[in-house]
Amino acid sequence: MPPNPSTNTTTSRASLAPSAIKPRQLAHLHAQLAQLQAHLSDTENLLRMTAVQAGCVRDLGGWTGGMFMAASKVLGEETVAGVDERARGGGNATAGGGAGGAAPKEGAGGK
């Protein structure tokens, strides 16, 4: 009859004295604790860097939003000037674009 694997495990563990098992387990736990502490330290450093980068991203978002608002204001005035010229019956947008485009800008700038 072949030997039972569960009895082999039991006999191999039984061959080790309890006094030999405990220091080995403690050494293993100590190594795991040291590794865990190193990983926690790395995580803490990464979180600090992430917090700094989040502040920078917030500032960058503010700058980008300001640029979009400024571009929208400039491009919006040009678009309104073109629409006003066509609504007045200027006909050809290229022919009346020079003089007609300047008049609405002066009115929009004075608001």
Side-chain angles (χ1 to χ4, degrees):
M1 183 178 241
N4 189 353
S6 62
T7 55
N8 280 344
T9 306
T10 307
T11 55
S12 65
R13 286 190 179 188
S15 65
L16 294 173
S19 61
I21 293 174
K22 191 166 185 172
R24 184 174 55 90
Q25 288 175 337
L26 287 175
H28 182 66
L29 284 175
H30 180 71
Q32 284 183 331
L33 182 61
Q35 185 179 14
L36 178 63
Q37 188 174 8
H39 288 296
L40 283 174
S41 177
D42 289 344
T43 302
E44 185 180 359
N45 290 335
L46 288 171
L47 282 174
R48 275 195 205 121
M49 281 197 276
T50 301
V52 169
Q53 289 174 349
C56 293
V57 167
R58 184 188 63 214
D59 293 342
L60 184 62
W63 280 95
T64 305
M67 295 296 273
F68 276 126
M69 287 188 282
S72 173
K73 183 173 170 84
V74 170
L75 295 175
E77 289 175 356
E78 290 176 2
T79 303
V80 169
V83 170
D84 285 345
E85 177 63 29
R86 280 185 245 140
R88 287 187 196 157
N92 192 353
T94 57
K105 279 190 177 181
E106 290 173 350
K111 288 183 184 177

